[in-house]
Amino acid sequence: MKKIFYALICLMGLSACSAENVVLDTLKIYDVANSTCKLNLSKTETRSDFYMENNAAPTTLGIELGEDGIALCKFENVRANCAVRNIYVKMDNQNNQINLIVYHNVLDAFADCICEYDVEFKMSKLTPGNYHLKVYYAGTNMQYDETDVAYNGKINLTRNDKVSVILNSEMILPER
């Protein structure tokens, strides 16, 4: 009887450990940092040829998976209103689908220009493999729908290899 009771206690202990690993192994984003305005474009104040040439440059996302399962990620040339001070990234994930939601702080005032920002962040607990990636541009309330998708496609992550994707070049972060 003691052996059965001991076996049940061990089994409960093992199941508690595995449940704890599920919580610890979830994907998360951290160390989000963004640059100041790299390029300022205004329809009314910028030369039209310069505006058209630079406004068409797409936003890119680079992801490099390290040996430790931490992915170093960088959005380059995210376009948003010049009054934006901080850009954030949030993540939803299910199975092999990763949804990245890019949004900014509430604006105190609106500027008559668009800036380009770089946004760096880390994703933890990724394993090499194929993922379906969606990137959404959301308003300040972090709400989005399928019309706000800036990228929708498959990526293959391998250790110590950088993957780059090009986002929809016509999109900018919503002002509200």
Side-chain angles (χ1 to χ4, degrees), residues 112-147:
D112 182 28
C113 59
I114 300 295
C115 280
E116 288 185 352
Y117 303 91
D118 289 344
V119 182
E120 297 181 11
F121 60 97
K122 294 177 183 174
M123 272 192 287
S124 67
K125 305 295 182 187
L126 278 171
T127 57
N130 293 314
Y131 293 89
H132 188 92
L133 174 67
K134 287 188 177 183
V135 178
Y136 294 96
Y137 281 1
T140 56
N141 59 3
M142 294 181 271
Q143 298 297 314
Y144 62 91
D145 59 38
E146 287 302 316
T147 62

Side-chain angles (χ1 to χ4, degrees), residues 2 21 35 63 78 81 86 102 108 119-120 124 128 167 170:
K2 287 183 182 179
N21 284 339
S35 69
I63 303 172
V78 175
N81 189 286
N86 292 304
V102 182
D108 295 329
V119 182
E120 297 181 11
S124 67
L167 279 59
E170 297 174 7

